[in-house]
Amino acid sequence: MSIDRKSLILQAATQSFVQFGYKATTMDQVSKIANVGKGTIYTFFKNKDELFAEILDKASQELTSVMSRLAAEDHTFIQKLFNLLDSILEFRSDHELFIKLAQEVRDIGTVQALEGVKRMEKYALDFLRQQIELAISRGEAKPCDPSVAAFMILRLYLALTTEWNKEHEPLDKSRIKEHMILFISNGILA
């Protein structure tokens, strides 16, 4: 049975990025965790940036798969929207890598960590934009700029689920949805 060294390296690199962050992760650490020579890593990846990019690609594919499954469900636009937003939040909290990247951005502002966070957010925004475009074409949402609407909806949701909790009693999901509907219903919902 052949060992898939590339997968082993990706797992080890993910573990290292989670433990140490982007900045402190080295190819030496990855090779030790994967129990492979450093040269083996370089047969698959030119550098740490390329390795990191592949990990982000795999995570993006996973997020897209989850969101696609939810978007295919037979629900109203607003129900799908909340399911998608919940899935994005759950994805962020279930994947330790994104928690660590967000901490690294906050604490030391590593450019690559910020790019990683932004890259995942871009996938989510693109998907939300597509769903808003579809809702507009079906008459479930008023004509609007779907990119702006996706940005505002995602930011509002993230603010109510994370930022609000820093200085206030956390809102439960039903209260968050109540507040979002209050703002959205007079905006993009038809």
Side-chain angles (χ1 to χ4, degrees), residues 25-181:
T25 290
T26 65
M27 294 302 241
D28 282 329
Q29 287 170 326
V30 174
S31 71
K32 286 177 186 163
I33 294 169
N35 200 25
V36 299
K38 215 162 71 165
T40 304
I41 296 173
Y42 288 111
T43 62
F44 297 105
F45 306 99
K46 291 178 193 168
N47 53 39
K48 182 169 80 169
D49 288 341
E50 192 174 284
L51 179 57
F52 186 60
E54 180 137 350
I55 290 168
L56 291 178
D57 284 344
K58 288 191 177 302
S60 300
Q61 291 168 4
E62 186 182 334
L63 177 60
T64 301
S65 173
V66 169
M67 290 189 304
S68 294
R69 181 182 48 77
L70 291 171
E73 292 177 356
D74 187 27
H75 293 296
T76 65
F77 168 65
I78 194 71
Q79 289 170 318
K80 282 184 187 182
L81 179 64
F82 284 127
N83 290 343
L84 290 169
L85 292 169
D86 288 345
S87 74
I88 292 166
L89 188 63
E90 287 167 19
F91 184 87
R92 284 174 51 150
S93 60
D94 288 347
H95 288 73
E96 293 177 274
L97 175 61
F98 298 103
I99 295 169
K100 184 65 173 183
L101 291 177
Q103 288 171 344
E104 187 169 337
V105 168
R106 184 191 66 228
D107 296 344
I108 56 178
T110 305
V111 172
Q112 292 86 348
L114 177 60
E115 288 172 1
V117 169
K118 284 183 176 181
R119 187 171 173 182
M120 292 307 294
E121 188 174 283
K122 183 184 179 322
Y123 281 105
L125 286 170
D126 286 346
F127 199 88
L128 287 173
R129 178 189 46 77
Q130 292 168 7
Q131 294 305 304
I132 292 168
E133 287 171 351
L134 186 60
I136 291 168
S137 73
R138 291 180 175 167
E140 294 179 276
K142 294 177 185 176
C144 63
D145 182 327
S147 295
V148 172
F151 178 83
M152 291 175 63
I153 289 168
L154 182 61
R155 288 291 179 201
L156 176 59
Y157 185 76
L158 293 176
L160 290 173
T161 55
T162 57
E163 296 301 316
W164 175 266
N165 302 348
K166 291 177 183 175
E167 296 187 27
H168 303 89
E169 184 71 28
L171 300 170
D172 63 29
K173 280 186 180 182
S174 64
R175 293 270 299 150
I176 291 168
K177 289 174 185 174
E178 246 176 63
H179 289 290
M180 296 227 15
I181 289 171

